[in-house]
Amino acid sequence: MKRLPYKTIVQALLASFVVCMYFVVVAKLDRRDIPWLSFFLHPHMARGLLYGFLLFLGNVYLSKWVSDRYPSGRDFGKRMIVFYTGSIILTILVVFVVNAFFSGLFVADGPKSFSQRFVDFIYQQHVIYYFQITVTSLFISMVFFGFYFYKRFKDYQIKESQQEKQQISAQFASLKNQLDPHFLFNSLNVLNSLIEEDPKKASIFTTNLSRIYRYVLEHKDKSLVPLQEELTFSKAYLSLLSLRFEDGIDIHMELDEVAPQEQLLPLSLQLLIENVVKHNVISFKNPLLLRIYRKEDYLIVENKVQKKKVLHQQSGIGLKNIAERYALLSDRPVNIWQNDKTFCVELPIIKTDLAI
Protein backbone atom coordinates (compact mmCIF):
# COMPACT_ATOMS: atom_id res chain seq x y z
CA MET A 1 0.00 0.00 0.00
CA LYS A 2 1.33 3.45 -0.89
CA ARG A 3 2.42 5.47 2.16
CA LEU A 4 0.85 8.84 2.86
CA PRO A 5 3.14 11.73 1.85
CA TYR A 6 4.56 13.54 4.88
CA LYS A 7 3.52 16.89 3.44
CA THR A 8 -0.10 15.75 3.09
CA ILE A 9 -0.23 14.53 6.68
CA VAL A 10 1.14 17.84 7.97
CA GLN A 11 -1.36 19.78 5.86
CA ALA A 12 -4.20 17.62 7.19
CA LEU A 13 -3.11 18.21 10.79
CA LEU A 14 -2.82 21.96 10.25
CA ALA A 15 -6.18 22.13 8.49
CA SER A 16 -7.96 20.21 11.24
CA PHE A 17 -6.31 22.39 13.92
CA VAL A 18 -7.29 25.63 12.16
CA VAL A 19 -10.91 24.48 11.81
CA CYS A 20 -11.07 23.46 15.47
CA MET A 21 -9.57 26.80 16.55
CA TYR A 22 -12.28 28.56 14.57
CA PHE A 23 -15.01 26.72 16.45
CA VAL A 24 -13.24 27.28 19.76
CA VAL A 25 -13.16 31.03 19.13
CA VAL A 26 -16.83 31.05 18.13
CA ALA A 27 -17.74 29.08 21.28
CA LYS A 28 -15.66 31.40 23.47
CA LEU A 29 -17.40 34.48 22.04
CA ASP A 30 -20.74 32.88 22.84
CA ARG A 31 -19.71 31.76 26.36
CA ARG A 32 -17.17 34.25 27.61
CA ASP A 33 -17.42 33.10 31.22
CA ILE A 34 -15.92 29.69 30.40
CA PRO A 35 -12.07 29.51 30.49
CA TRP A 36 -10.14 28.84 27.28
CA LEU A 37 -8.62 25.69 28.76
CA SER A 38 -12.06 24.15 29.17
CA PHE A 39 -12.61 24.37 25.43
CA PHE A 40 -9.24 22.84 24.58
CA LEU A 41 -9.71 19.96 27.03
CA HIS A 42 -13.30 19.28 26.02
CA PRO A 43 -13.86 15.78 24.42
CA HIS A 44 -15.38 17.44 21.38
CA MET A 45 -11.98 19.00 20.64
CA ALA A 46 -10.44 15.59 19.96
CA ARG A 47 -13.46 14.60 17.94
CA GLY A 48 -13.22 17.78 15.85
CA LEU A 49 -9.52 17.24 15.20
CA LEU A 50 -10.24 13.72 13.97
CA TYR A 51 -13.07 15.02 11.77
CA GLY A 52 -10.78 17.59 10.19
CA PHE A 53 -7.83 15.23 9.73
CA LEU A 54 -9.82 12.42 8.08
CA LEU A 55 -11.95 14.74 5.94
CA PHE A 56 -8.92 16.66 4.68
CA LEU A 57 -7.08 13.46 3.70
CA GLY A 58 -10.22 11.99 2.18
CA ASN A 59 -10.89 15.10 0.10
CA VAL A 60 -7.25 15.24 -1.06
CA TYR A 61 -7.43 11.74 -2.51
CA LEU A 62 -10.96 12.29 -3.78
CA SER A 63 -9.86 15.42 -5.66
CA LYS A 64 -6.92 13.57 -7.23
CA TRP A 65 -9.14 10.65 -8.25
CA VAL A 66 -11.73 12.99 -9.80
CA SER A 67 -9.02 14.92 -11.67
CA ASP A 68 -7.58 11.69 -13.09
CA ARG A 69 -11.05 10.36 -13.93
CA TYR A 70 -12.08 13.57 -15.75
CA PRO A 71 -8.80 15.08 -17.02
CA SER A 72 -10.22 17.12 -19.88
CA GLY A 73 -10.84 20.82 -19.40
CA ARG A 74 -14.27 20.27 -20.98
CA ASP A 75 -15.22 18.10 -17.97
CA PHE A 76 -14.79 20.88 -15.39
CA GLY A 77 -18.52 20.98 -14.51
CA LYS A 78 -18.77 17.21 -14.30
CA ARG A 79 -15.64 17.15 -12.13
CA MET A 80 -17.22 19.62 -9.69
CA ILE A 81 -20.45 17.63 -9.43
CA VAL A 82 -18.66 14.32 -8.82
CA PHE A 83 -16.24 15.82 -6.30
CA TYR A 84 -18.81 17.61 -4.16
CA THR A 85 -21.21 14.66 -4.28
CA GLY A 86 -18.38 12.41 -3.16
CA SER A 87 -17.38 14.94 -0.51
CA ILE A 88 -20.90 14.89 0.98
CA ILE A 89 -20.91 11.10 1.12
CA LEU A 90 -17.38 11.09 2.58
CA THR A 91 -18.36 13.62 5.28
CA ILE A 92 -21.37 11.57 6.38
CA LEU A 93 -19.29 8.38 6.55
CA VAL A 94 -16.45 10.04 8.49
CA VAL A 95 -18.81 11.65 11.01
CA PHE A 96 -20.66 8.36 11.46
CA VAL A 97 -17.49 6.31 12.03
CA VAL A 98 -15.86 8.89 14.36
CA ASN A 99 -19.05 9.22 16.39
CA ALA A 100 -19.30 5.45 16.61
CA PHE A 101 -15.71 5.27 17.82
CA PHE A 102 -16.21 7.89 20.57
CA SER A 103 -19.53 6.38 21.66
CA GLY A 104 -17.85 3.05 22.38
CA LEU A 105 -19.78 1.15 19.74
CA PHE A 106 -16.77 -1.00 18.89
CA VAL A 107 -15.88 -1.72 22.54
CA ALA A 108 -17.55 -4.75 24.07
CA ASP A 109 -18.29 -3.38 27.55
CA GLY A 110 -21.26 -4.62 29.55
CA PRO A 111 -24.05 -7.11 28.79
CA LYS A 112 -25.23 -5.41 25.59
CA SER A 113 -24.46 -7.09 22.26
CA PHE A 114 -23.08 -5.21 19.29
CA SER A 115 -26.49 -5.06 17.62
CA GLN A 116 -28.04 -3.54 20.76
CA ARG A 117 -25.23 -1.00 21.06
CA PHE A 118 -25.64 -0.19 17.36
CA VAL A 119 -29.39 0.47 17.78
CA ASP A 120 -28.70 2.73 20.78
CA PHE A 121 -26.04 4.56 18.76
CA ILE A 122 -28.41 5.17 15.84
CA TYR A 123 -31.03 6.67 18.18
CA GLN A 124 -28.40 9.06 19.54
CA GLN A 125 -27.62 10.49 16.09
CA HIS A 126 -29.32 13.67 14.87
CA VAL A 127 -29.83 14.60 11.24
CA ILE A 128 -29.34 18.30 11.93
CA TYR A 129 -25.89 17.57 13.39
CA TYR A 130 -24.81 15.72 10.23
CA PHE A 131 -26.31 18.47 8.10
CA GLN A 132 -24.37 21.21 9.91
CA ILE A 133 -21.06 19.38 9.66
CA THR A 134 -21.68 18.54 5.98
CA VAL A 135 -22.39 22.19 5.12
CA THR A 136 -19.28 23.28 7.04
CA SER A 137 -17.19 20.61 5.31
CA LEU A 138 -18.45 21.66 1.88
CA PHE A 139 -17.61 25.29 2.58
CA ILE A 140 -14.10 24.38 3.71
CA SER A 141 -13.69 22.09 0.66
CA MET A 142 -14.60 24.99 -1.62
CA VAL A 143 -11.94 27.13 0.04
CA PHE A 144 -9.22 24.47 0.09
CA PHE A 145 -9.93 22.64 -3.16
CA GLY A 146 -11.73 25.22 -5.31
CA PHE A 147 -8.46 26.92 -6.21
CA TYR A 148 -6.83 23.53 -6.86
CA PHE A 149 -9.55 22.52 -9.33
CA TYR A 150 -9.51 25.90 -11.02
CA LYS A 151 -5.73 25.70 -11.46
CA ARG A 152 -5.99 22.16 -12.85
CA PHE A 153 -8.73 23.38 -15.19
CA LYS A 154 -6.46 26.13 -16.54
CA ASP A 155 -3.50 23.74 -16.77
CA TYR A 156 -5.54 21.31 -18.87
CA GLN A 157 -6.73 24.12 -21.12
CA ILE A 158 -3.09 25.07 -21.77
CA LYS A 159 -2.14 21.41 -22.27
CA GLU A 160 -4.96 20.81 -24.75
CA SER A 161 -3.95 23.93 -26.66
CA GLN A 162 -0.35 22.70 -26.81
CA GLN A 163 -1.51 19.24 -27.93
CA GLU A 164 -3.57 20.79 -30.70
CA LYS A 165 -0.51 22.72 -31.92
CA GLN A 166 1.62 19.57 -31.70
CA GLN A 167 -0.96 17.60 -33.66
CA ILE A 168 -0.99 20.20 -36.43
CA SER A 169 2.81 20.17 -36.53
CA ALA A 170 2.88 16.37 -36.50
CA GLN A 171 0.33 16.17 -39.31
CA PHE A 172 2.36 18.63 -41.36
CA ALA A 173 5.53 16.64 -40.76
CA SER A 174 3.64 13.48 -41.65
CA LEU A 175 2.53 14.93 -44.98
CA LYS A 176 6.13 15.78 -45.78
CA ASN A 177 7.17 12.22 -45.02
CA GLN A 178 4.32 10.44 -46.80
CA LEU A 179 5.66 8.54 -49.79
CA ASP A 180 9.17 9.86 -49.92
CA PRO A 181 10.03 11.63 -53.23
CA HIS A 182 12.89 9.15 -53.66
CA PHE A 183 10.35 6.34 -53.59
CA LEU A 184 8.29 8.04 -56.30
CA PHE A 185 11.38 8.67 -58.41
CA ASN A 186 12.53 5.05 -58.06
CA SER A 187 9.03 3.72 -58.71
CA LEU A 188 8.77 5.66 -61.96
CA ASN A 189 12.17 4.30 -63.05
CA VAL A 190 11.01 0.75 -62.28
CA LEU A 191 7.78 1.37 -64.16
CA ASN A 192 9.71 2.66 -67.15
CA SER A 193 11.82 -0.50 -67.20
CA LEU A 194 8.82 -2.80 -66.78
CA ILE A 195 6.96 -1.20 -69.69
CA GLU A 196 9.70 -2.41 -72.01
CA GLU A 197 10.50 -5.72 -70.31
CA ASP A 198 7.15 -6.96 -69.01
CA PRO A 199 4.03 -4.93 -69.92
CA LYS A 200 1.84 -7.17 -67.72
CA LYS A 201 3.91 -6.46 -64.63
CA ALA A 202 3.96 -2.80 -65.59
CA SER A 203 0.16 -2.78 -65.59
CA ILE A 204 0.05 -4.39 -62.11
CA PHE A 205 2.68 -1.94 -60.90
CA THR A 206 0.69 1.05 -62.19
CA THR A 207 -2.53 -0.20 -60.59
CA ASN A 208 -0.90 -0.65 -57.19
CA LEU A 209 0.83 2.72 -57.43
CA SER A 210 -2.48 4.45 -58.13
CA ARG A 211 -4.07 2.64 -55.17
CA ILE A 212 -1.31 3.88 -52.92
CA TYR A 213 -1.77 7.53 -53.87
CA ARG A 214 -5.53 7.26 -53.69
CA TYR A 215 -5.21 5.89 -50.16
CA VAL A 216 -2.87 8.73 -49.19
CA LEU A 217 -5.30 11.36 -50.47
CA GLU A 218 -8.29 9.75 -48.76
CA HIS A 219 -6.69 9.22 -45.35
CA LYS A 220 -4.13 12.01 -44.94
CA ASP A 221 -6.45 14.09 -42.72
CA LYS A 222 -7.67 11.25 -40.48
CA SER A 223 -6.39 10.57 -36.96
CA LEU A 224 -6.97 6.81 -37.15
CA VAL A 225 -7.98 4.28 -39.78
CA PRO A 226 -9.21 0.67 -39.49
CA LEU A 227 -6.30 -1.70 -39.14
CA GLN A 228 -7.64 -3.84 -41.97
CA GLU A 229 -7.55 -0.87 -44.39
CA GLU A 230 -3.97 -0.05 -43.41
CA LEU A 231 -2.95 -3.68 -43.98
CA THR A 232 -4.64 -3.77 -47.38
CA PHE A 233 -2.87 -0.55 -48.37
CA SER A 234 0.46 -1.90 -47.12
CA LYS A 235 0.04 -5.07 -49.17
CA ALA A 236 -0.25 -2.91 -52.30
CA TYR A 237 2.87 -1.03 -51.22
CA LEU A 238 4.75 -4.28 -50.54
CA SER A 239 3.78 -5.60 -53.97
CA LEU A 240 5.54 -2.57 -55.49
CA LEU A 241 8.64 -3.39 -53.49
CA SER A 242 8.47 -7.01 -54.61
CA LEU A 243 8.28 -5.97 -58.25
CA ARG A 244 11.07 -3.46 -57.77
CA PHE A 245 13.53 -5.64 -55.80
CA GLU A 246 12.22 -9.09 -56.80
CA ASP A 247 14.20 -11.73 -54.83
CA GLY A 248 16.23 -9.06 -53.05
CA ILE A 249 13.58 -8.69 -50.36
CA ASP A 250 11.89 -11.49 -48.41
CA ILE A 251 8.54 -10.28 -47.05
CA HIS A 252 6.45 -12.16 -44.46
CA MET A 253 3.12 -10.67 -43.38
CA GLU A 254 1.83 -12.93 -40.61
CA LEU A 255 -1.56 -11.67 -39.45
CA ASP A 256 -4.88 -13.32 -38.77
CA GLU A 257 -8.27 -11.66 -39.09
CA VAL A 258 -8.54 -8.31 -37.34
CA ALA A 259 -11.56 -6.83 -35.59
CA PRO A 260 -13.43 -3.89 -37.20
CA GLN A 261 -12.90 -1.66 -34.13
CA GLU A 262 -9.12 -2.04 -34.23
CA GLN A 263 -7.46 1.13 -35.49
CA LEU A 264 -3.99 2.25 -36.52
CA LEU A 265 -2.34 5.55 -37.31
CA PRO A 266 -2.79 6.16 -41.07
CA LEU A 267 0.32 5.51 -43.19
CA SER A 268 2.35 4.54 -40.10
CA LEU A 269 2.92 0.99 -41.37
CA GLN A 270 3.97 2.26 -44.82
CA LEU A 271 6.40 4.73 -43.27
CA LEU A 272 8.01 1.94 -41.24
CA ILE A 273 8.36 -0.27 -44.33
CA GLU A 274 9.87 2.62 -46.27
CA ASN A 275 12.25 3.22 -43.38
CA VAL A 276 13.44 -0.40 -43.60
CA VAL A 277 14.13 -0.12 -47.34
CA LYS A 278 15.87 3.24 -46.96
CA HIS A 279 18.34 2.11 -44.29
CA ASN A 280 19.27 -1.42 -45.38
CA VAL A 281 21.13 -3.08 -48.23
CA ILE A 282 18.91 -5.10 -50.58
CA SER A 283 20.56 -7.66 -52.85
CA PHE A 284 19.90 -11.03 -54.47
CA LYS A 285 22.87 -12.58 -52.65
CA ASN A 286 21.72 -11.37 -49.26
CA PRO A 287 17.94 -10.80 -49.33
CA LEU A 288 16.50 -8.38 -46.76
CA LEU A 289 14.11 -10.17 -44.39
CA LEU A 290 11.03 -8.14 -43.41
CA ARG A 291 8.37 -9.48 -41.02
CA ILE A 292 5.06 -7.87 -40.15
CA TYR A 293 3.15 -9.63 -37.42
CA ARG A 294 1.00 -9.10 -34.37
CA LYS A 295 1.74 -9.67 -30.70
CA GLU A 296 -1.20 -9.02 -28.39
CA ASP A 297 -2.28 -5.37 -28.97
CA TYR A 298 0.80 -4.36 -30.96
CA LEU A 299 1.55 -4.51 -34.68
CA ILE A 300 5.23 -5.29 -35.11
CA VAL A 301 7.50 -4.45 -38.02
CA GLU A 302 10.77 -6.34 -37.74
CA ASN A 303 13.66 -6.54 -40.17
CA LYS A 304 17.10 -8.07 -40.45
CA VAL A 305 19.77 -5.40 -40.01
CA GLN A 306 21.84 -4.90 -43.19
CA LYS A 307 22.89 -1.28 -42.79
CA LYS A 308 24.06 0.62 -45.83
CA LYS A 309 27.73 1.56 -45.62
CA VAL A 310 27.23 4.91 -47.30
CA LEU A 311 24.23 6.72 -45.92
CA HIS A 312 23.44 10.36 -45.34
CA GLN A 313 23.07 11.31 -41.71
CA GLN A 314 19.51 10.54 -40.66
CA SER A 315 17.58 12.55 -38.08
CA GLY A 316 14.95 9.92 -37.34
CA ILE A 317 12.15 12.31 -38.26
CA GLY A 318 9.86 9.52 -39.51
CA LEU A 319 9.96 7.45 -36.32
CA LYS A 320 9.81 10.56 -34.16
CA ASN A 321 6.76 11.78 -36.07
CA ILE A 322 4.94 8.47 -35.58
CA ALA A 323 5.76 8.43 -31.85
CA GLU A 324 4.53 12.01 -31.39
CA ARG A 325 1.28 11.37 -33.23
CA TYR A 326 0.63 8.21 -31.19
CA ALA A 327 1.29 10.14 -27.96
CA LEU A 328 -1.72 12.34 -28.81
CA LEU A 329 -4.01 9.35 -29.31
CA SER A 330 -2.93 6.65 -26.86
CA ASP A 331 -1.28 6.17 -23.48
CA ARG A 332 0.66 3.21 -24.85
CA PRO A 333 4.00 4.18 -26.39
CA VAL A 334 5.58 3.20 -29.70
CA ASN A 335 8.32 0.73 -28.75
CA ILE A 336 11.58 0.75 -30.70
CA TRP A 337 14.42 -1.67 -30.02
CA GLN A 338 17.35 -3.10 -31.92
CA ASN A 339 20.46 -5.24 -31.66
CA ASP A 340 23.21 -6.26 -34.09
CA LYS A 341 20.88 -8.51 -36.08
CA THR A 342 17.36 -7.11 -35.73
CA PHE A 343 15.55 -3.78 -35.79
CA CYS A 344 11.98 -3.73 -34.48
CA VAL A 345 9.19 -1.17 -34.10
CA GLU A 346 5.97 -1.97 -32.19
CA LEU A 347 2.87 0.10 -33.04
CA PRO A 348 -0.02 0.10 -30.51
CA ILE A 349 -3.31 -1.13 -31.95
CA ILE A 350 -6.03 1.22 -30.72
CA LYS A 351 -9.46 -0.23 -30.08
CA THR A 352 -12.48 2.01 -30.38
CA ASP A 353 -16.19 1.63 -31.05
CA LEU A 354 -16.27 4.81 -33.11
CA ALA A 355 -15.30 5.06 -36.74
CA ILE A 356 -12.81 7.87 -37.15
Side-chain angles (χ1 to χ4, degrees):
M1 184 177 178
K2 189 175 180 181
R3 297 177 61 184
L4 291 174
Y6 174 76
K7 183 179 178 181
T8 303
I9 294 176
V10 173
Q11 288 176 339
L13 289 172
L14 289 175
S16 60
F17 180 75
V18 169
V19 172
C20 285
M21 285 301 300
Y22 167 78
F23 285 107
V24 167
V25 171
V26 171
K28 177 62 177 175
L29 293 174
D30 186 52
R31 301 178 182 181
R32 298 183 180 183
D33 56 322
I34 300 177
W36 284 97
L37 191 61
S38 298
F39 290 107
F40 288 112
L41 297 179
H42 196 280
H44 287 325
M45 184 69 174
R47 186 177 301 196
L49 286 171
L50 197 54
Y51 283 157
F53 181 78
L54 294 177
L55 286 174
F56 186 88
L57 285 183
N59 281 304
V60 165
Y61 284 99
L62 177 63
S63 64
K64 290 181 178 178
W65 179 84
V66 171
S67 295
D68 293 337
R69 181 68 177 81
Y70 303 102
S72 174
R74 294 186 295 270
D75 294 329
F76 181 75
K78 187 182 295 183
R79 192 185 308 160
M80 292 293 96
I81 293 173
V82 173
F83 173 75
Y84 287 115
T85 301
S87 184
I88 291 172
I89 297 172
L90 175 67
T91 301
I92 294 172
L93 289 175
V94 167
V95 173
F96 184 86
V97 172
V98 172
N99 286 352
F101 174 78
F102 278 93
S103 69
L105 175 63
F106 304 111
V107 180
D109 185 18
K112 290 186 178 181
S113 65
F114 177 80
S115 59
Q116 290 174 324
R117 296 198 305 273
F118 182 77
V119 172
D120 292 342
F121 169 72
I122 293 298
Y123 278 115
Q124 293 171 6
Q125 304 307 298
H126 301 285
V127 175
I128 188 65
Y129 179 74
Y130 282 82
F131 176 77
Q132 290 173 344
I133 295 181
T134 300
V135 171
T136 304
S137 176
L138 281 176
F139 175 77
I140 295 172
S141 295
M142 289 179 184
V143 174
F144 276 99
F145 300 101
F147 176 75
Y148 168 78
F149 277 121
Y150 181 75
K151 185 176 182 301
R152 288 292 296 266
F153 171 66
K154 288 298 182 182
D155 289 344
Y156 276 115
Q157 281 187 325
I158 294 172
K159 183 178 178 180
E160 287 180 348
S161 177
Q162 291 175 341
Q163 285 182 340
E164 185 177 351
K165 292 179 181 178
Q166 289 175 356
Q167 187 169 16
I168 293 173
S169 299
Q171 288 177 346
F172 179 71
S174 172
L175 289 175
K176 292 194 296 183
N177 281 282
Q178 287 167 5
L179 295 180
D180 191 288
H182 293 290
F183 164 75
L184 178 59
F185 177 76
N186 292 328
S187 296
L188 292 176
N189 283 338
V190 173
L191 178 59
N192 185 54
S193 301
L194 287 175
I195 290 174
E196 296 180 2
E197 297 173 6
D198 193 333
K200 187 175 181 179
K201 282 187 178 181
S203 177
I204 297 172
F205 192 95
T206 304
T207 300
N208 286 330
L209 190 60
S210 66
R211 287 176 180 171
I212 289 172
Y213 276 93
R214 185 183 303 114
Y215 183 87
V216 171
L217 292 174
E218 290 176 352
H219 296 82
K220 62 184 178 68
D221 295 324
K222 295 183 179 179
S223 298
L224 291 170
V225 294
L227 175 58
Q228 186 60 60
E229 289 187 17
E230 184 73 6
L231 292 175
T232 301
F233 159 71
S234 297
K235 287 178 182 178
Y237 183 76
L238 289 170
S239 69
L240 291 187
L241 296 180
S242 296
L243 287 170
R244 176 182 168 188
F245 297 108
E246 297 182 340
D247 294 333
I249 186 168
D250 186 10
I251 301 170
H252 295 270
M253 183 174 280
E254 306 158 10
L255 284 104
D256 298 326
E257 293 294 326
V258 298
Q261 69 270 22
E262 292 179 330
Q263 311 274 333
L264 202 69
L265 199 69
L267 301 167
S268 56
L269 182 53
Q270 177 270 327
L271 287 172
L272 293 183
I273 297 171
E274 183 180 336
N275 193 61
V276 172
V277 174
K278 185 186 299 183
H279 289 78
N280 293 275
V281 175
I282 301 176
S283 66
F284 293 105
K285 293 182 179 180
N286 192 17
L288 176 63
L289 176 61
L290 171 62
R291 290 183 62 208
I292 302 172
Y293 60 97
R294 176 175 183 161
K295 186 176 181 181
E296 297 178 350
D297 288 333
Y298 277 89
L299 183 67
I300 301 174
V301 179
E302 179 183 306
N303 67 275
K304 179 182 176 183
V305 174
Q306 298 177 180
K307 289 186 178 180
K308 293 180 180 179
K309 294 182 180 179
V310 181
L311 188 67
H312 295 293
Q313 185 178 359
Q314 300 295 324
S315 59
I317 294 177
L319 292 176
K320 182 181 178 182
N321 175 47
I322 292 174
E324 288 178 350
R325 292 169 68 194
Y326 258 109
L328 300 174
L329 300 169
S330 174
D331 294 332
R332 291 183 294 144
V334 174
N335 299 321
I336 302 172
W337 60 269
Q338 62 179 324
N339 52 38
D340 294 337
K341 296 182 178 180
T342 306
F343 182 85
C344 181
V345 180
E346 301 178 352
L347 297 177
I349 297 173
I350 301 175
K351 295 182 180 180
T352 175
D353 295 330
L354 299 176
I356 298 178

